[in-house]
Amino acid sequence: MDNIARHILGLPGWAALVIVFAVPLLESSAFVGFVFPGEIAVLLGGVLAFQHRVSLAAVLVAAIAGAILGDTIGYWVGRRYGRRLLSGRVGRLVKQEHRDRAEHYLAQRGGKAVFLGRFTAALRVMIPGLAGMARMHYRTFVGYNVAGGAAWATGMVLLGYLAGASWQKAAHWASRIGLALLALIVLGFALRLAARATRRRCDRLRAVGDRLAATAPVVWVRRRFPTQLGWLRSRLDPTTPAGLPLTATLASAALFAWIFGGLTQDVTAGEGIARFDPRAHGFAVAHRTDWLTTIMRNVTWLGSGWVLIPILATATVVLLRRRDRRGVGWVWAAYLGAVALYALAKPLVHRPRPPAADMIGAASGLSYPSEHATQAIATWSILALVAAASRSRRTRIVVFTAAVVLVLLVGASRIYLGAHWLTDVLAGYALGATWLALLAALRRRGDAGAAARGVSRAPVRRRVVTGPHRAPTG
């Protein structure tokens, strides 16, 4: 692999661009990804842009076009020849029931698989063909394909550009992140299958569990540790809010807190991902344009308290009109908790901001973590949760996608304007996400307590009737 990479780095600029375009193109359409992952070629294109041997814009265009076109070809190959392949010897290895279930899932809800599959090598090769084989609507496929291909290619190119000579470490981390994402996808799919199997075969599973519980070793453990086993069983019960849902939420909070701790350690020690901070800062400063500066100077206010507090006040009025006092409490708890957390964290690290000469606008105080990023992820996420409650699936997707885009834009604006380092923004995201997960755990705990008391916690919605004398509000 290293020999191939060195050969690509030694090619002329135009030949390297052909490779950056062709490898992602052939990855899923001709299954080249099983031999040579497309992310390596795209990352090396970013390295060549760092060396000023090719244009960064040209590398981005080649990588994005190759990724999108390759998955499109893979989709149509699967749609045209997939059934013929499954009718042969390969198809006999998979039960017809499992094939039908997988095809139904991809056809109905496979958009997320197309998007997430782009970020892990194993799924990147197979998902487009499987989507075509399942007859997923092409309009659905192309939307998620374009979004996933553009996000993946842009991220890999910029990672190679920022890594420069250290591209091998960047490739190693990209591979590990892809494997972690694959593990999360497989775990989520397995948990969903387990939950469905539990609901369908509840009586049979209870019988198996009773026979297992009657064995001598299990009886000894139950007698020796009755309290601990009862607690563990209640924590893993998927049918109650205080069971597996609450456990998974607390595990998410622990994961985000661990990420924040790791970033803090890297920043204080000046190692790990903190080494990318100067390069990310230099990249942002070197690629400033007048039109983008105007956009970023306006976008960054979406993470400022001067804008968020009026938005929260407006949301409070709307929620009170719906008699949703709990919603009011949650949105203000998310914002004020985020403010308190970054205010406590800043003095502990005591990190100065980037050079004032590179800064656009005014920013004062300590740099780590980014208050804009922390406030943005906490506030916009909780507003999206409240706004999407009891809505259709399509509405929830639109609302959450808008919240994610806003949060990412706020973080990018802080780096672009020179107000924060890259790790400041990442730490702000991790800190805000930790607080959100804790709030979600508290909410699940409250719902579980209300259910145990037989009390409904759902907000009462009033129907607003408008007449000719009253203009409807938008």
Side-chain angles (χ1 to χ4, degrees):
M1 191 74 69
D2 289 340
N3 292 332
I4 297 176
R6 283 195 292 268
H7 180 69
I8 294 175
L9 291 175
L11 293 173
W14 66 268
L17 287 177
V18 171
I19 295 295
V20 171
F21 170 78
V23 174
L25 172 70
L26 298 174
E27 188 174 28
S28 56
S29 60
F31 307 107
V32 171
F34 285 120
V35 181
F36 188 81
E39 62 194 25
I40 300 297
V42 175
L43 190 143
L44 292 176
V47 176
L48 292 172
F50 169 78
Q51 297 173 350
H52 301 288
R53 294 172 54 191
V54 292
S55 167
L56 178 62
V59 175
L60 286 170
V61 170
I64 293 173
I68 294 173
L69 186 58
D71 280 9
T72 302
I73 295 174
Y75 171 88
W76 288 111
V77 168
R79 194 177 181 94
R80 177 67 177 84
Y81 300 104
R83 298 283 181 178
R84 186 180 305 176
L85 179 65
L86 287 180
S87 62
R89 294 182 179 178
V90 176
R92 298 172 187 172
L93 300 176
V94 184
K95 292 183 179 180
Q96 182 66 37
E97 176 187 357
H98 296 166
R99 283 163 42 188
D100 293 341
R101 188 181 304 167
E103 289 182 6
H104 177 74
Y105 175 80
L106 281 172
Q108 299 297 323
R109 301 182 179 179
K112 292 183 290 185
V114 173
F115 181 84
L116 294 175
R118 166 48 61 182
F119 295 89
T120 179
L123 298 180
R124 194 160 57 237
V125 180
M126 299 184 296
I127 287 294
L130 293 175
M133 197 182 306
R135 297 296 194 271
M136 178 190 293
H137 292 297
Y138 181 69
R139 233 184 299 181
T140 301
F141 173 82
V142 74
Y144 285 99
N145 177 34
V146 170
W152 170 81
T154 302
M156 287 295 106
V157 170
L158 293 181
L159 182 61
Y161 186 92
L162 295 174
S166 304
W167 66 268
Q168 290 175 317
K169 291 183 179 180
H172 174 70
W173 277 104
S175 176
R176 292 182 65 177
I177 292 172
L179 290 174
L181 179 60
L182 176 61
L184 288 175
I185 294 173
V186 172
L187 177 61
F189 188 69
L191 289 176
R192 177 175 293 183
L193 289 179
R196 290 180 178 177
T198 301
R199 288 193 294 267
R200 291 175 180 175
R201 304 175 183 179
C202 191
D203 295 336
R204 187 184 303 178
L205 289 174
R206 282 200 186 100
V208 173
D210 291 341
R211 287 197 298 270
L212 182 63
T215 59
V218 177
V219 170
W220 181 86
V221 173
R222 291 173 62 189
R223 289 177 179 175
R224 185 72 176 80
F225 307 101
T227 305
Q228 292 82 352
L229 283 178
W231 179 87
L232 181 62
R233 183 168 56 248
S234 63
R235 295 286 75 77
L236 298 178
D237 185 359
T239 62
T240 62
L244 185 59
L246 178 60
T247 303
T249 306
L250 289 173
S252 300
L255 175 61
F256 290 125
W258 176 77
I259 293 173
F260 178 76
L263 289 168
T264 303
Q265 181 180 358
D266 287 350
V267 169
T268 53
E271 59 184 18
I273 195 172
R275 294 178 179 176
F276 289 98
D277 282 339
R279 289 182 179 173
H281 176 75
F283 173 81
V285 172
H287 291 82
R288 286 172 175 169
T289 59
D290 292 339
W291 64 270
L292 188 55
T293 299
T294 302
I295 293 175
M296 290 300 184
R297 293 187 72 161
N298 288 282
V299 165
T300 199
W301 286 100
L302 296 175
S304 170
W306 293 101
V307 172
L308 292 178
I309 290 177
I311 291 175
L312 289 172
T314 304
T316 299
V317 174
V318 174
L319 291 172
L320 288 177
R321 291 183 62 186
R322 298 177 180 176
R323 297 182 181 179
D324 187 4
R325 295 182 179 179
R326 292 184 69 234
V328 174
W330 289 121
V331 296
W332 282 105
Y335 174 75
L336 296 176
V339 171
L341 285 176
Y342 77 68
L344 292 172
K346 279 181 178 291
L348 297 178
V349 180
H350 209 273
R351 188 188 201 187
R353 292 183 183 270
D358 296 336
M359 195 178 300
I360 298 177
S364 59
L366 299 174
S367 186
Y368 183 94
S370 167
E371 60 268 29
H372 279 65
T374 310
Q375 293 176 166
I377 191 172
T379 305
W380 289 111
S381 297
I382 197 68
L383 288 174
L385 287 170
V386 172
S390 303
R391 305 293 181 182
S392 66
R393 181 172 176 270
R394 179 173 298 180
T395 301
R396 292 198 301 269
I397 292 175
V398 172
V399 171
F400 286 126
T401 301
V404 169
V405 171
L406 286 177
V407 171
L408 293 177
L409 285 175
V410 169
S413 71
R414 303 310 289 168
I415 300 171
Y416 179 89
L417 298 174
H420 285 288
W421 304 103
L422 171 64
T423 47
D424 298 341
V425 173
L426 297 179
Y429 287 158
L431 189 61
T434 302
W435 178 238
L436 274 176
L438 289 175
L439 284 180
L442 289 174
R443 185 167 185 172
R444 288 188 181 279
R445 185 66 179 173
D447 291 341
R453 297 190 300 270
V455 179
S456 175
R457 301 294 293 270
V460 178
R461 295 184 180 271
R462 293 187 303 172
R463 185 176 180 181
V464 180
V465 180
T466 60
H469 62 282
R470 182 177 178 181
T473 57

